Every structure is written in C-alpha cells, then in structure tokens.
Amino acid sequence: MNDFAASPHFLDFILLFTVVEFVVLGLLNQRSGRGLQWVDLAFGLMPGFLLMLAYRVSQPQSLSGPVLLCLAVAGMVHALDFFRRHQGSRQK
C-alpha cells in the first residue's frame, strides 16, 4: 500500500470526489431530465459522506487496510445503488 492511500489525504480525496459527483450528477439531471433529482442524490450521498467525514475528523494519522476495504466496498455498493435507481427511473 502506498503512502498516499494510507494517509488521511486519501479520504480527503474521496470526500472531494463525492461532492463533485453530487454536483455533476445533479447538473446532468437538470440539463437532460434523466437520472436522479437533487433531493434523491442528496439522500443517497449524504449518509456515506457524513460517515466518512466523521471518521476523517476523528481518525488517527493513517488508514488501515480494513478501513480502506470497507470504504472501497461502500463505494461500489453506492455506485450499484445509483445505477439501479437510474435504471428504475428510465422505466417509468
């Protein structure tokens, strides 16, 4: 594991990516009418974002392997959930 992945800056990057994801997906929906509405995006992203933020402000100086694994799996499940919701909104 490299030094960046083990540092708190890795989690900062993931938090920033989550904010960018929220804005990009919201703007895509606003312009195309496809995808999730702002409120659905907020309710989908906010729990994970706040958990990561809580961990970030309370964490020691590095992330352990199990923590990185949990974050990675949570990110994959999150992406799968949004994909499933997006597919459901297309069928309506």
Side-chain angles (χ1 to χ4, degrees):
M1 185 178 341
N2 66 29
D3 290 338
F4 179 72
S7 77
H9 301 295
F10 184 71
L11 189 52
D12 294 340
F13 173 76
I14 294 171
L15 288 165
L16 178 62
F17 180 82
T18 304
V19 171
V20 171
E21 176 185 24
F22 174 74
V23 171
V24 168
L25 291 176
L27 290 175
L28 284 173
N29 172 264
Q30 192 171 359
R31 291 183 183 183
S32 70
R34 295 177 48 194
L36 300 173
Q37 299 290 321
W38 287 101
V39 73
D40 295 324
L41 288 169
F43 278 107
L45 290 172
M46 192 61 66
F49 182 83
L50 290 174
L51 286 171
M52 288 186 292
L53 187 60
Y55 183 75
R56 174 65 182 99
V57 297
S58 68
Q59 79 169 357
Q61 292 302 310
S62 66
L63 297 172
S64 66
V67 170
L68 286 173
L69 179 63
C70 288
L71 288 173
V73 172
M76 288 185 282
V77 171
H78 157 71
L80 182 62
D81 176 49
F82 271 23
F83 177 76
R84 183 186 57 79
R85 288 190 212 189
H86 179 71
Q87 294 298 342
S89 71
R90 295 174 102 192
Q91 295 174 0
K92 291 180 182 178

